[in-house]
Amino acid sequence: MKEFHVCGLGNAIVDIFLDLNDDDFAATGFERGTMRLVEKDEQSELLKRFASAEPRLVSGGSVANSIIAMSQLGGNGAFIGCVGDDRYGLHYSSEFEELEIEIGNPVIVGETTGTCICVVTPDAERTMRTCLAVSSNLAARHVDADRIRNSEWIFIEGYVFANPATGQGAIREAIRIAKENGVKVALTCSDAFVPAVFGEPFREALAQSDLLFCNAAEAMGLTGKATTLEAYDALKQQIPNVVVTDAANGAYVCYGGETGHVAAFECHPKDATGAGDMFAGAFLYGITHGYSPLKAARAANYLAMKVITQVGARLHHGVKAAWETGLAH
């Protein structure tokens, strides 16, 4: 019996939520609903500017959100990422400690933690400015062999491929350790640009993976197929297990010899961010706790629906109850 069900490898980012009225938002000059990567100096100025607005801090990052979801359901999680020794990094490590997720010692002295300023306006739109900072320094030397060795699965974030000098080495090292120790490898595209721009290293990792999570656009981009179903059928030939999520059209699942389509739950979305992260975390919880793949996907769809009907990528309470509700439908 392994100590951890899943160990994640990804960017460690602190989400900083700011509620602004329309006048205050207009004063920022931001284009509503955009997400832009910014450098440390620009982010630092933005943080100073909004210091009096009492922002809410939520630790995350794509795969980190999945590990949090899995642990909220009752799984044992670990995570590998990098934060700085500033207030955001200390918040990150203390929050993961409270969540009982093993993250070792991710703090790098003298560095700035990755942050995402999420400005929420009265129309529930989110406008984001992300600074990866030290999270993008994640490299092979940060990969903790013990945490991977003691896990049933390693779950790798596609965004990490976007750092060729460091992140791609971390991914190769994590997969090498996993393969040597009988640890299964799950991979997420994260965004369609990842396999499009970093196709060679992504496909190298995919060839060694046991499970791929992707959405419809990513699946079609990866296979060159014109429809979700054609892309799903093509991926089934390439990877032992694959899950393709398709928003309101549900999810296509091929896992452990079981295949099928699982319907989504109808809802009125407020914020689509985090749906895929929640789905992956819940699905990984399901398959590591004896649930059939299609049941796990059904409950995961319900949890994803709960996430997109609120603002923010994480559910802060009632996660296990929502899982049970999803299973019952």
Side-chain angles (χ1 to χ4, degrees):
M1 184 71 178
K2 299 284 183 94
E3 185 179 355
F4 307 114
H5 295 107
V6 186
C7 175
L9 179 89
N11 290 326
I13 304 284
V14 176
D15 289 331
I16 303 168
F17 287 94
L18 291 164
D19 296 297
L20 296 186
N21 62 37
D22 287 327
D23 289 342
D24 288 341
F25 180 79
T28 66
F30 294 165
E31 188 182 335
R32 197 178 288 252
T34 55
M35 195 292 274
R36 192 160 66 78
L37 286 174
V38 298
E39 294 301 323
K40 283 191 282 192
D41 290 348
E42 186 179 343
Q43 193 81 326
S44 180
E45 285 305 311
L46 287 172
L47 291 168
K48 277 183 205 160
R49 181 173 170 182
F50 296 126
S52 61
E54 298 186 3
R56 289 173 289 130
L57 304 184
V58 181
S59 302
S62 175
V63 158
N65 285 333
S66 300
I67 299 298
I68 289 166
M70 190 207 61
S71 71
Q72 287 174 318
L73 287 166
N76 295 328
F79 182 69
I80 297 168
C82 297
V83 295
D85 60 350
D86 52 9
R87 64 175 287 216
Y88 301 110
L90 298 175
H91 173 84
Y92 200 98
S93 50
S94 66
E95 193 172 8
F96 271 68
E97 204 172 294
E98 283 169 30
L99 292 162
E100 298 184 344
I101 297 170
E102 174 59 56
I103 60 169
N105 180 20
V107 177
I108 298 176
V109 176
E111 290 287 356
T112 304
T113 300
T115 52
C116 175
I117 297 173
C118 308
V119 179
V120 184
T121 38
D123 58 359
E125 186 66 82
R126 283 174 89 189
T127 304
M128 296 184 282
R129 293 297 178 267
T130 302
C131 176
L132 294 173
V134 77
S135 71
S136 66
N137 289 15
L138 176 62
R141 67 180 180 279
H142 299 121
V143 175
D144 181 343
D146 282 343
R147 253 175 290 166
I148 297 174
R149 203 178 290 124
N150 291 324
S151 303
E152 291 179 30
W153 285 86
I154 176 81
F155 184 30
I156 294 167
E157 183 177 310
Y159 287 129
V160 179
F161 285 100
N163 303 312
T166 51
Q168 291 179 16
I171 289 169
R172 278 191 289 271
E173 178 67 0
I175 291 175
R176 183 189 67 76
I177 295 163
K179 290 294 176 188
E180 285 179 2
N181 292 279
V183 177
K184 293 189 280 288
V185 177
L187 181 63
T188 173
C189 284
S190 294
D191 193 289
F193 88 84
V194 173
V197 178
F198 305 98
E200 196 175 323
F202 185 87
R203 287 172 194 282
E204 180 192 317
L206 187 61
Q208 300 176 82
S209 296
D210 300 281
L211 170 61
L212 173 70
F213 290 99
C214 57
N215 63 28
E218 292 157 0
M220 288 186 281
L222 200 51
T223 58
K225 300 296 183 183
T227 69
T228 306
L229 198 51
E230 285 173 338
Y232 166 65
D233 286 337
L235 287 170
K236 282 193 295 185
Q237 310 305 314
Q238 294 177 36
I239 311 134
N241 306 286
V242 61
V243 178
V244 178
T245 55
D246 192 12
N249 298 315
Y252 296 91
V253 179
C254 170
Y255 184 85
E258 252 188 72
T259 59
H261 174 262
V262 181
F265 289 85
E266 281 188 35
C267 69
H268 298 287
K270 278 189 181 176
D271 173 12
T273 312
D277 302 341
M278 171 56 82
F279 182 97
F283 186 81
L284 285 166
Y285 169 78
I287 61 172
T288 54
H289 286 78
Y291 292 91
S292 78
L294 297 179
K295 271 192 176 294
R298 183 68 172 153
N301 268 345
Y302 188 80
L303 282 161
M305 178 274 288
K306 296 291 280 183
V307 165
I308 65 172
T309 52
Q310 56 150 42
V311 174
R314 197 204 301 175
L315 295 176
H316 290 275
H317 51 79
V319 181
K320 195 62 191 266
W323 168 270
E324 298 296 342
T325 303
L327 285 178
H329 278 72

